[in-house]
Amino acid sequence: MKVAKFGGSSMASASQLIKVGDIIKDDASRKFIVVSAPGKRFKEDTKMTDLLIDLGTAYLQQTNFAEQFEAIMQRFTEIVTELELPDTLLDEFTESLKQVQELSDNEASLMDAVKAIGEDSSAKMLSAYLNKIGINSSYINPQEAGLILSDEPGNAQILPDSFDKIRMLRERDGVLVIPGFFGYTEEGKLVTFSRGGSDITGSLIAAGVEAEIYENFTDVDSVFTVNPSFVSNPKTITKLTYKEMRELSYAGFSVFHDEALIPAYHAKIPVAIKNTNNPLAKGTLIVAERELNGRVVTGIASDTGFCSLYVSKYLMNREIGFGRKLLNIFEDEGVSFEHAPSGIDNMSVIFRERNLPRDKERIILERIKNELHPDTVSITRGIAIIMVVGEGLVNSIGVANRATEAFTKANVNIEMINQGSSEVSMMFGIQAADLKRAIRSLYELYFMEEDALVRSGS
């Protein structure tokens, strides 16, 4: 049995749902289907989830929401009409949108409930369409599926008892269509995963039913070695490990949610990245182990929107508890950090800029000065993170040196360097303005020059 998850681009329109139906019909082992909310139909389009967020905001602000309501129902109506599905679906969607208003006294609960309507409606439309084309299909609500989550709106986590309940889905007949992105607490309250969490739902279902493979259908033929917006026609990756994919996803590879690999990893279920628009393409397979085939670096990922806090104090290494006290300040102020590389007399702490607003920055800087008495403390914004990822890094000499050569060649200054504890990645911090030059130079080094050396027999 297979679990197949279809992303927003696959659910964006009636024509896309027809492709999804053909893919499911083509392989009877695709028994468990997880879906996202309708995504963009074209570049300038708006995702359904964003439309729903706008509606939820209008509900909370008690402003006129007719325009947002109409935009959402127009998208649903377009799909239902073109696929000739029952009009009762539209009545159901309308009622769902209206019922959410009753949660207006709780912002987190309202926003979770309104966002979930996108995935929930996608699942109902797809299930209805599958039955229309002769495939025995059932819509399964996440609560019925056994997705019992922690009470953390917008960032819920699966509870251990869920897997026994999910496993019972194996006994159900026909194709089961499950909305992604959300589940329910033990008390029956709807909660969502973080944005993009439909990938997480797919992975959890795959682990729970002990699937032979988890197929993740998106709009690209495979995972690329680097973001195509930086390099034209980059090389593709046909196989990589869970560790490699998680590092790449964290650092900006948006093709797969970085948390989604954890359930599949623990259950040792291979993950296949496939293209809904080209389902016969080979795609990318994510596995526990693979042959390195002589290549050290698998991919280069990057992301912007970071800032770096630098703290320096002479003999810091001899001051017992300095690091703990520093990190406790962040905890006290409710600020999460990403990385904390350190030296003998200094530490750098990397944050997502969205997690460190200016008012919080001032408080933290003041507390560090008053409580830790550093020689220097400063914050630099506009940082980009580059992650060089590959299982071959741990057994190779000179990889970091070659990377610094690439940065030098591109005339890019390195703000920070850190070797990941996973031993499959190296992280570099640079100014965001230099990102494109740095990525191109690294790609040239690790993929073009290395291939030329292989061809020459060097």
Side-chain angles (χ1 to χ4, degrees), residues 376-449:
T376 304
V377 58
S378 62
I379 289 181
T380 303
R381 292 184 177 265
I383 297 292
I385 294 296
I386 296 176
M387 199 82 81
V388 175
V389 177
E391 291 278 358
L393 264 62
V394 65
N395 296 316
S396 302
I397 298 172
V399 181
N401 184 55
R402 297 193 71 200
T404 57
E405 290 177 4
F407 286 116
T408 300
K409 185 176 179 180
N411 195 29
V412 172
N413 184 53
I414 300 173
E415 304 280 345
M416 179 205 62
I417 181 170
N418 188 34
Q419 173 74 49
S421 59
S422 66
E423 298 186 323
V424 301
S425 67
M426 292 184 303
M427 186 183 71
F428 301 90
I430 65 170
Q431 289 295 316
D434 298 329
L435 184 58
K436 183 174 288 189
R437 294 202 315 277
I439 292 291
R440 287 176 173 173
S441 188
L442 286 166
Y443 180 81
E444 181 74 23
L445 173 75
Y446 286 124
F447 293 98
M448 305 306 289
E449 291 184 14

Side-chain angles (χ1 to χ4, degrees), residues 14 25 39 56 59 66 82 129 131 172 189 213 225 246 253 255 279 284 288 293 325 351 359 364 388 394 406 442:
K25 196 171 187 176
Y59 282 162
E82 289 186 30
Y129 175 69
N131 281 299
R172 303 282 291 264
K189 172 185 171 184
I213 193 168
T225 51
R246 180 155 160 73
F253 271 38
V255 71
T284 297
N293 298 322
K325 293 173 185 175
F351 304 88
D359 57 337
I364 286 175
V388 175
V394 65
L442 286 166

Side-chain angles (χ1 to χ4, degrees), residues 192-234:
T192 68
F193 297 114
S194 57
R195 185 78 184 260
S198 292
D199 286 347
I200 300 175
T201 301
S203 188
L204 291 169
I205 297 296
V209 301
E210 299 173 352
E212 63 183 87
I213 193 168
Y214 169 31
E215 297 178 316
N216 192 286
F217 283 87
T218 180
D219 56 0
V220 293
D221 282 350
S222 64
V223 177
F224 294 104
T225 51
V226 70
N227 190 326
S229 65
F230 293 136
V231 176
S232 299
N233 301 313

Side-chain angles (χ1 to χ4, degrees), residues 148-214:
I148 310 303
L149 311 182
S150 61
D151 191 357
E152 299 174 85
N155 194 35
Q157 305 293 317
I158 193 75
L159 298 182
D161 291 345
S162 295
F163 291 103
D164 289 336
K165 297 176 182 178
I166 295 171
R167 193 167 292 109
M168 295 172 65
L169 294 174
R170 294 172 61 97
E171 309 304 319
R172 303 282 291 264
D173 293 329
V175 173
L176 310 184
V177 184
I178 305 166
F181 184 47
F182 72 99
Y184 291 81
T185 67
E186 292 177 306
E187 294 74 32
K189 172 185 171 184
L190 187 153
V191 286
T192 68
F193 297 114
S194 57
R195 185 78 184 260
S198 292
D199 286 347
I200 300 175
T201 301
S203 188
L204 291 169
I205 297 296
V209 301
E210 299 173 352
E212 63 183 87
I213 193 168
Y214 169 31

